[in-house]
């Protein structure tokens, strides 16, 4: 990396971004961002209070009339400028993302940052295409058309696994549609959300359009979701917390978008390319150290390929290089915190009582001992109803299970509460198409697993939530649909009036 900015200097004024300015929180409590690769302090900041949330919402409310009245072209131009600023600062964003998350720098530079820039460019174009039904005379006597209007102040909560991308997924469709936003990032990983808001100001977006409050979920987060001036909440995180968000949001009749947990199946039929499936399984289960709600977690392999697949995945996992996230040769960084690593390790230790740890299942020592590292882990022989098959582990752990018939494989793939993502591996187009139809998930890949694109929606079924991030479909979440109807007759006494008074 080049000249890395000094985080403590960059955020000396605090970790709240309200009405175009960095400032300190007023809760009286502090939080420390820790480099999970070393355990070293990165930044200690004051957490937001409910009063800080109130100020951020007020700033967004003040900015809303002007921003929502801007033309689609003006909002588009602003987002194009933002994409250019992000591209200019790509190195700093990648550095900060890897520092706070422990991501390998090659993941930040090749996935997180360019993906965010692409999202910004996409929504710059989408801002000009708020489509509604064409004007027509549906009743015969009236002309009807549909308007899409901004809804107001959005209060969103983003997770710690992809702090930059998730901030962008919340902010971009909201502001492209003319809304203003208050975003609460995870306390563990606020740096790139704050930087994104600063970049927006550099790009010329008005103060108050984007506000960031960094505070505790039970204080700042719940107050934001329940705030009477917030008209919509978008939340990404665990299903358990999502239920609490839903309780608060529905009490005030807010629009709600939830992207929750996942337990993605990786379904390998017996005609699949074994080498492709094995490589795909390793990459899809270990991306971001497994801290990805779409990561492959349950590999169901038709019995003729099961043993060979298991052996090949174990062999490939053993080649994955753990190390310093900023070293070019590092494949796998630490988990986001020691607490998260210990949670993952506990899942694996409990699984030893009913399944076989084929490879991994260890906290490495030596030079990596100070970090939150965990070795890539493959588990076999677990029952379908076991904890490691049913629960979201959120770490570098893949469970492999056999199946016999296609019916059984698809049934097993659907047999968890979640439905965010899945993949099917087959060289038979009819087999693959059946899987895409019958697997209940918001995204089903065929002969791949993980790639996402700005033009296509991301969101789940079942306990994985509802609503869509990215794509033009996200405007369904962030716009109000209004039917406008004009009388064309200029007749004072209309025929339908007789249903209320008078005769024909």
């Amino acid at each position: 990396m080049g000249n890395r900015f000094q985080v403590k200097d960059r955020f000396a004024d605090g970790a709240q971004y309200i009405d175009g300015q960095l400032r300190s929180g007023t809760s009286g409590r502090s939080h420390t961002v820790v480099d999970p690769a070393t355990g070293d302090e990165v930044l200690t900041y004051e957490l937001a209070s409910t009063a800080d949330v109130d100020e951020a919402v007020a700033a967004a409310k003040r900015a809303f009339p002007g921003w929502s009245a801007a033309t689609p072209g003006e909002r588009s131009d602003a987002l194009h400028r933002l994409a250019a600023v992000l591209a200019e600062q790509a190195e700093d964003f990648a550095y900060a993302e890897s520092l706070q998350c422990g991501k390998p720098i090659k993941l930040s530079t090749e996935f997180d940052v360019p993906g965010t820039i692409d999202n910004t460019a996409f929504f710059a174009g989408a801002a000009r295409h708020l489509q509604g039904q064409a004007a027509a005379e549906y009743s015969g006597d009236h002309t009807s058309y549909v308007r899409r209007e901004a809804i107001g102040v959005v209060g969103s909560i983003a997770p710690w696994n992809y702090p930059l991308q998730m901030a962008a997924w919340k902010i971009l469709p909201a502001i492209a549609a003319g809304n203003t936003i208050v975003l609460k990032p995870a306390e563990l990983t606020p740096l790139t959300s704050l930087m994104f808001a600063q970049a927006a100001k550099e790009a010329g977006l008005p103060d108050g359009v984007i506000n960031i409050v960094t505070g505790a979920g039970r204080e700042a987060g719940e107050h934001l979701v329940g705030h009477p001036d917030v008209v919509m909440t978008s939340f990404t995180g665990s299903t358990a917390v999502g239920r609490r968000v839903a309780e608060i949001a529905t009490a005030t009749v807010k629009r709600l978008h939830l992207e929750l947990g996942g337990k993605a199946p990786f379904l390998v039929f017996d005609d699949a390319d074994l080498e492709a499936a094995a490589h795909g399984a390793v990459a899809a289960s270990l991306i971001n150290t497994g801290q990805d709600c779409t990561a492959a977690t349950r590999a169901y392999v038709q019995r003729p390929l099961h043993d060979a697949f298991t052996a090949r995945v174990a062999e490939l996992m053993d080649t994955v290089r753990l190390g310093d996230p900023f070293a070019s040769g590092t494949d796998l960084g630490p988990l986001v915190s020691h607490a998260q690593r210990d949670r993952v390790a506990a899942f694996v230790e409990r699984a030893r009582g009913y399944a076989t740890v084929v490879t991994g299942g260890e906290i490495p020592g030596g030079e990596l001992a100070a970090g939150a590292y965990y070795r890539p882990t493959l588990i076999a022989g677990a029952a379908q109803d076991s904890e490691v098959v049913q629960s979201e582990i959120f770490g570098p752990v893949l469970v492999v299970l056999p199946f016999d018939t296609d019916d059984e494989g698809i049934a097993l793939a659907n047999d968890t509460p979640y439905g965010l993502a899945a993949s099917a591996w087959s060289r038979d187009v009819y087999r693959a198409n059946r899987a895409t139809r019958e697997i209940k998930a918001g995204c089903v890949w065929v002969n791949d697993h993980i790639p996402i694109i700005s033009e296509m929606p991301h969101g789940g079924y079942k306990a994985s939530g509802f609503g869509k991030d990215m794509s033009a479909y996200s405007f369904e979440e962030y716009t109000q649909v209004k039917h406008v109807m004009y009388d064309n007759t200029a007749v004072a006494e209309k025929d339908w009036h007789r249903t209320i008074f008078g005769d024909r």
Side-chain angles (χ1 to χ4, degrees):
M1 300 296 289
N3 296 320
R4 297 173 177 175
F5 66 86
Q6 297 299 309
V7 172
K8 292 179 182 179
D9 293 341
R10 177 72 172 260
F11 301 109
D13 292 331
Q16 317 301 325
Y17 188 84
I18 298 173
D19 207 13
Q21 298 294 326
L22 281 175
R23 46 168 282 184
S24 185
T26 62
S27 70
R29 296 185 307 282
S30 63
H31 185 85
T32 299
V33 178
V34 174
D35 177 353
T38 62
D40 294 341
E41 175 193 345
V42 173
L43 176 71
T44 297
Y45 64 92
E46 297 299 314
L47 290 162
S49 66
T50 56
D52 297 323
V53 174
D54 289 340
E55 290 192 33
V57 172
K61 187 176 181 180
R62 287 192 301 272
F64 176 73
W67 183 246
S68 61
T71 67
E74 289 168 338
R75 292 197 295 269
S76 175
D77 289 347
L79 291 179
H80 277 301
R81 293 194 302 269
L82 175 55
V85 173
L86 295 173
E88 290 169 3
Q89 299 177 9
E91 186 175 284
D92 282 350
F93 274 95
Y95 168 69
E97 195 77 338
S98 287
L99 184 65
Q100 67 182 352
C101 299
K103 296 174 186 283
I105 194 65
K106 65 180 181 179
L107 180 63
S108 294
T109 56
E110 297 178 24
F111 184 75
D112 297 70
V113 174
T116 301
I117 295 169
D118 186 71
N119 261 251
T120 307
F122 171 81
F123 280 107
R128 292 178 178 264
H129 294 91
L130 294 178
Q131 295 180 347
Q133 195 167 10
E137 288 68 49
Y138 294 98
S139 76
D141 291 336
H142 306 82
T143 296
S144 289
Y145 68 89
V146 170
R147 289 176 56 88
R148 282 199 175 274
E149 299 179 348
I151 58 175
V153 177
V154 177
S156 294
I157 299 176
W160 48 256
N161 58 332
Y162 289 102
L164 175 60
Q165 290 207 73
M166 295 295 101
W169 287 13
K170 303 299 183 196
I171 292 169
L172 291 169
I175 66 173
N179 304 293
T180 56
I181 189 167
V182 179
L183 175 78
K184 193 196 90 65
E187 305 96 296
L188 291 172
T189 55
L191 303 183
T192 46
S193 298
L194 293 164
M195 292 168 63
F196 189 92
Q198 291 176 306
K201 181 167 185 173
E202 291 183 44
L205 273 76
D207 292 346
V209 172
I210 301 173
N211 305 273
I212 310 293
V213 290
T214 308
R218 290 190 178 275
E219 183 176 3
E222 292 197 0
H223 190 64
L224 176 62
V225 172
H227 199 289
D229 289 332
V230 169
V231 298
M232 174 183 168
T233 289
S234 177
F235 170 80
T236 297
S238 71
T239 298
V241 178
R243 291 191 187 99
R244 176 60 180 157
V245 169
E247 289 174 5
I248 299 168
T250 53
T252 50
V253 200
K254 294 187 194 321
R255 185 175 297 197
L256 185 60
H257 168 214
L258 299 175
E259 199 266 90
L260 306 177
K263 191 71 179 175
F266 188 99
L267 186 60
V268 182
F269 293 102
D270 57 13
D271 67 328
D273 182 325
L274 177 61
E275 197 67 10
H279 279 80
V282 173
S285 63
L286 301 184
I287 186 171
N288 202 32
T289 318
Q291 299 166 125
D292 186 313
C293 48
T294 64
T297 61
R298 301 177 288 139
Y300 295 103
V301 185
Q302 207 150 24
R303 205 170 294 273
L305 289 186
H306 177 271
D307 291 351
F309 175 89
T310 303
R312 185 59 175 141
V313 168
E315 182 180 41
L316 290 171
M317 279 188 170
D318 288 342
T319 70
V320 172
R321 300 163 294 182
L322 279 67
D324 175 5
F326 293 101
S328 60
T330 293
D331 297 321
L332 199 72
L335 286 99
V336 74
S337 68
H338 288 77
Q340 179 65 13
R341 181 203 63 189
D342 292 346
R343 178 181 179 276
V344 170
F347 269 101
V348 177
E349 290 309 305
R350 291 191 295 271
R352 293 184 193 276
Y354 56 80
T356 300
V357 176
V358 179
T359 191
E362 297 173 349
I363 297 173
E367 295 179 355
L368 303 180
Y373 290 91
Y374 197 75
R375 294 200 183 282
T377 300
L378 181 64
I379 295 174
Q384 175 65 15
D385 62 355
S386 63
E387 181 187 48
V388 290
V389 175
Q390 293 293 323
S391 298
E392 187 173 33
I393 300 172
F394 227 56
V397 179
L398 177 65
V399 184
V400 58
L401 303 95
F403 71 93
D404 291 303
T405 67
D406 290 15
D407 288 349
E408 181 190 11
I410 292 172
L412 289 170
N414 284 328
D415 185 29
T416 72
Y418 300 105
L420 185 58
S423 63
W425 297 74
S426 173
R427 287 183 264 210
D428 183 328
V429 66
Y430 298 102
R431 221 174 193 183
N433 278 341
R434 179 192 174 190
T436 65
R437 291 193 307 271
E438 297 185 14
I439 293 176
K440 304 304 180 187
C443 176
V444 182
W445 293 280
V446 175
N447 295 327
D448 208 344
H449 192 120
I450 285 296
I452 54 175
I453 49 176
S454 297
E455 293 82 0
M456 289 292 116
H458 176 88
Y461 284 31
K462 303 190 293 186
S464 292
F466 49 82
K468 299 300 179 184
D469 288 312
M470 301 195 297
S471 80
Y473 290 97
S474 63
F475 284 124
E476 301 288 339
E477 317 294 327
Y478 293 98
T479 57
Q480 187 70 264
V481 174
K482 177 186 286 185
H483 170 216
V484 178
M485 193 177 209
Y486 283 90
D487 171 61
N488 293 329
T489 67
V491 174
E493 297 181 21
K494 295 179 170 57
D495 186 57
W496 73 265
H497 291 176
R498 67 183 174 80
T499 62
I500 310 302
F501 68 99
D503 299 318
R504 186 183 294 275

